Amino acid sequence: MEGTQSNSNAELIPHLFRQEYSKMTAVLCRYFGLEQIELAEDIASETFLKASEYWPVHGVPENPAGWLYTVAKNKAKDHLRRGQLFETRVKDALKPAEAISGHEFEFSDEIIADSQLAMIFVVCDPVNSQSAQVCLALQILCGFSVEEMANAFLSNMETIKKRLQRARANLRNDGFQLRKLQKDEISTRLDTVLKTLYLLFNEGYFSQNENQFIRKDLCSEAMRLTLLLVENKLTNMPQVNALLALMCFQSSRLDARTSDTGEAVLYEDQDRRLWNRFLIEKGNYYLLKAFSEKQESKYHIEAAIACWHTTTRDEKWPHILQLYNRLIVLEYSPVTAINRLFAFGKVYGKESAIKEAEKLNLSSNSYYHGLMGFLYSGVNTGYAIMHYKQALRFTKSVIEKKALADKIDQLTTLVQTAGQ
Amino acid sequence: MKEFVLIFRNSVTEGFKPSPEQMQQLMTDWMSWMGSVAAQDKLADKGNRLSMSEGKTVKPGDIVTDGPYTEVKEFINGYMIVKTDTIEEAVSIASECPILKIGGNVEVRKIVSPDDNS
């Protein structure tokens, strides 16, 4: 029995840590002021350290989250009582408008929700680059360690550490106040927030990382944060629902797009029984909510495309192509141009798509060559092989290198058998 | 990179009423064409379509006439802006405009910039 219990502890603590760490930090920051974010994080870390020491010996308390908040509350009070800190640093930093009055450190559901929401808006600050915002979000909002981030981004810890330090310094200097969000703050910053969450999700979904668990983790964290925005009436807006719908549709295919041996499985070859029906239905639900008002963002269009992809009917392609036309008129990106071209090929045939492709001017893009390889397959095998080789040259992803090498082998064998 | 305005003109054809089917096709063609221009990263501004039912022309002496239709057979029904290196490229984009299939035409004009007003 004892063995079972300590096992479940070992799983429970990191799980709780993720869930509660960012909430705790956000609430404490509201009391202390954003300038004291390190103090808030220290208190949160100490709290979990105490849990990891105390629980294995005394058993997990009945209400683990409640236990954690009580400890955090006491630790926060201790800090204030103990040090000169309160007099010299915190008190000056506590400006009436930004902090909650009193030092009772209340952790009510409402305060937690408000503080977390405000923290999302603090972290997604345009003073930092998009990639720095994604790192900050992972650390402050999702409780990722520097090591976990370095793993996720296939980078080293030193680089990540430096990036975070710079980003935190910028945040402090920018002086955004952590308090209950105001309407004008939401409207000026929502675009940045959504873009960061979108990138965080894509980091997981299109990651070059072979580790399926890390990728899923990034996707589900992005979804959790977007859900927070949807659940709060201040930020429950059409484009937010559209983004969440997009994430639901995309992640419904997470299991199907990697084989048991870790290789990428193309959309066309996926086992549709592995598509997650629950997430598809959730996606439909949020998509309907997104379209309940007359407002259209790029997330609306992308979600609509992702929605078509959850159906297996062939007549979807003209619709998808039209949506890509609208998307690319709204905002150009090479990825959109390439995806549009794929849909174009589905509607007008490979040879028309090849003609269309020649206008694109994307000859140093690996996805472009991957698609050209696909389009030339069955049309001109020599060209197909040449493009796949180009794609191989430009891609950094291990998974893709493997898939491309396989294609080249298949086509080469085809040519040789035909030649005999 | 230069910017060119494409000005779309169509002629008034009395009694010409396309079927809903034809309208749908025309819309699809427009979106495909614009999508194709945007996919080449050559769309600077998607511009606007101009209303055919609501329009006035104002002339000196407080004279206001209905629409541009009374005196011209052709009227401007929209514009968009493309970015290309040469006018030839802009012309090649314009040559695929669906308005050409329904009796209209496209005028291509370079936007005058401060350092180049030729």
Side-chain angles (χ1 to χ4, degrees):
Chain A
M1 279 305 282
E2 263 190 326
T4 333
Q5 198 185 358
S6 66
N7 266 345
S8 68
N9 276 353
E11 276 165 30
L12 182 66
I13 295 173
H15 177 67
L16 259 186
F17 191 93
R18 277 279 173 79
Q19 272 192 344
E20 304 300 332
Y21 175 84
S22 61
K23 291 185 192 171
M24 206 178 268
T25 314
V27 175
L28 290 170
C29 264
R30 260 179 89 184
Y31 285 107
F32 291 139
L34 190 61
E35 295 84 348
Q36 300 293 335
I37 184 169
E38 274 85 15
L39 172 62
E41 289 174 326
D42 283 348
I43 291 176
S45 299
E46 282 171 28
T47 302
F48 285 98
L49 188 64
K50 187 164 178 187
S52 65
E53 289 166 357
Y54 192 85
W55 293 358
V57 183
H58 296 90
V60 177
E62 232 166 77
N63 174 3
W67 187 96
L68 289 170
Y69 284 121
T70 310
V71 171
K73 203 187 279 188
N74 291 334
K75 280 194 182 293
K77 282 184 185 166
D78 280 351
H79 267 277
L80 292 186
R81 228 178 280 131
R82 200 190 309 141
Q84 296 295 318
L85 190 69
F86 181 67
E87 292 304 321
T88 56
R89 288 167 68 196
V90 182
K91 199 175 182 184
D92 292 342
L94 286 176
K95 297 175 194 99
E98 72 187 39
I100 308 168
S101 56
H103 298 106
E104 280 313 301
F105 295 105
E106 201 192 333
F107 284 95
S108 70
D109 287 348
E110 195 193 338
I111 288 184
I112 290 176
D114 285 351
S115 306
Q116 260 194 306
L117 190 68
M119 201 53 140
I120 297 178
F121 278 72
V122 164
V123 162
C124 301
D125 186 326
V127 296
N128 284 315
S129 70
Q130 289 284 354
S131 60
Q133 288 179 42
V134 169
C135 281
L136 270 184
L138 279 173
Q139 190 185 41
I140 297 177
L141 305 173
C142 312
F144 273 52
S145 69
V146 171
E147 192 185 354
E148 286 170 314
M149 261 183 267
N151 277 337
F153 297 137
L154 304 174
S155 178
N156 63 56
M157 287 170 62
E158 218 33 54
T159 312
I160 300 278
K161 241 187 228 162
K162 277 195 193 128
R163 190 183 293 171
L164 284 166
Q165 271 163 5
R166 256 197 313 271
R168 279 170 172 256
N170 289 340
L171 265 198
R172 263 192 297 273
N173 297 336
D174 197 42
F176 190 90
Q177 303 296 341
L178 187 66
R179 61 180 172 205
K180 194 172 165 77
L181 278 180
Q182 309 298 307
K183 275 223 167 80
D184 59 321
E185 286 166 345
I186 292 175
S187 60
T188 52
R189 204 169 263 193
L190 187 64
D191 281 351
T192 315
V193 168
L194 294 184
K195 182 132 201 219
T196 303
L197 296 179
Y198 175 77
L199 286 178
L200 176 56
F201 183 86
N202 284 351
E203 277 298 340
Y205 197 72
F206 299 105
S207 168
Q208 297 175 350
N209 200 314
E210 283 181 89
N211 188 324
Q212 185 72 355
F213 294 106
I214 294 178
R215 303 174 58 161
K216 274 192 185 172
D217 220 10
L218 294 176
C219 290
S220 70
E221 282 298 322
M223 287 174 84
R224 184 179 66 83
L225 295 174
T226 312
L227 189 62
L228 275 178
L229 298 185
V230 164
E231 282 172 345
N232 198 304
K233 64 175 187 297
L234 285 170
T235 45
N236 183 14
M237 291 186 226
Q239 64 272 44
V240 186
N241 281 279
L243 178 59
L244 188 54
L246 171 63
M247 291 174 175
C248 289
F249 289 134
Q250 299 282 63
S251 45
S252 73
R253 287 193 296 276
L254 266 176
D255 285 327
R257 59 203 281 280
T258 315
S259 73
D260 295 337
T261 50
E263 285 163 42
V265 183
L266 287 178
Y267 174 77
E268 309 260 296
D269 306 327
Q270 287 171 10
D271 179 354
R272 282 163 188 156
R273 285 166 306 177
L274 293 176
W275 290 359
N276 184 322
R277 291 307 315 174
F278 173 76
L279 282 170
I280 292 175
E281 272 158 34
K282 280 278 169 204
N284 287 333
Y285 170 78
Y286 291 116
L287 191 62
L288 277 178
K289 274 177 59 185
F291 278 105
S292 63
E293 280 172 55
K294 261 196 182 166
Q295 193 192 3
E296 193 177 84
S297 62
K298 74 171 203 144
Y299 306 115
H300 282 84
I301 305 177
E302 286 200 47
I305 293 169
C307 180
W308 276 109
H309 278 310
T310 63
T311 70
T312 49
R313 288 175 297 163
D314 259 351
E315 65 262 31
K316 70 188 174 184
W317 287 108
H319 297 281
I320 291 177
L321 177 59
Q322 280 308 312
L323 288 163
Y324 272 122
N325 282 332
R326 270 156 71 186
L327 184 61
I328 201 146
V329 165
L330 204 61
E331 187 183 285
Y332 172 82
S333 82
V335 175
T336 308
I338 291 162
N339 286 332
R340 175 186 170 274
L341 187 61
F342 182 79
F344 192 95
K346 284 285 175 189
V347 176
Y348 297 111
K350 285 182 168 184
E351 284 172 53
S352 305
I354 290 169
K355 275 199 201 105
E356 183 77 5
E358 280 158 7
K359 302 177 191 163
L360 292 190
N361 195 19
L362 287 172
S363 49
S364 52
N365 184 307
S366 73
Y367 295 114
Y368 171 78
H369 287 292
L371 178 54
M372 289 303 272
F374 167 79
L375 292 173
Y376 272 117
S377 299
V379 176
N380 182 326
T381 313
Y383 278 11
I385 293 175
M386 183 191 80
H387 279 292
Y388 278 132
K389 281 185 175 162
Q390 287 279 68
L392 194 62
R393 200 160 71 93
F394 287 113
T395 188
K396 290 194 190 82
S397 158
V398 181
I399 300 179
E400 247 165 67
K401 278 190 176 151
K402 174 96 181 58
L404 287 166
D406 283 352
K407 294 260 181 221
I408 295 170
D409 281 350
Q410 279 168 21
L411 289 175
T412 315
T413 322
L414 203 71
V415 175
Q416 283 162 353
T417 2
Q420 277 165 7
Chain B
M1 198 67 88
K2 297 175 193 164
E3 293 197 343
F4 296 90
V5 183
L6 307 190
I7 301 158
F8 310 123
R9 282 205 174 76
N10 210 349
S11 44
V12 200
T13 322
E14 283 298 325
F16 173 69
K17 274 226 158 145
S19 71
E21 188 89 7
Q22 287 167 313
M23 298 275 274
Q24 176 75 46
Q25 187 56 46
L26 192 60
M27 259 227 338
T28 310
D29 289 350
W30 268 103
M31 276 316 294
S32 304
W33 178 62
M34 282 177 72
S36 171
V37 177
Q40 302 168 48
D41 199 13
K42 288 179 182 165
L43 186 67
D45 186 325
K46 69 183 166 73
N48 284 292
R49 304 284 85 81
L50 304 179
S51 164
M52 295 176 14
S53 56
E54 202 170 348
K56 302 271 187 196
T57 302
V58 180
K59 295 174 181 173
D62 287 338
I63 302 168
V64 178
T65 56
D66 269 349
Y69 331 114
T70 44
E71 284 170 29
V72 285
K73 289 222 170 68
E74 273 186 347
F75 60 93
I76 295 172
N77 72 354
Y79 69 92
M80 74 181 215
I81 305 175
V82 297
K83 43 178 181 178
T84 57
D85 289 328
T86 61
I87 192 165
E88 284 74 24
E89 267 183 84
V91 165
S92 138
I93 288 172
S95 70
E96 287 170 17
C97 177
I99 205 167
L100 302 177
K101 286 189 234 158
I102 53 165
N105 62 61
V106 184
E107 184 174 328
V108 181
R109 301 277 293 270
K110 190 177 83 177
I111 293 182
V112 176
S113 60
D115 44 301
D116 167 30
N117 53 9
S118 49

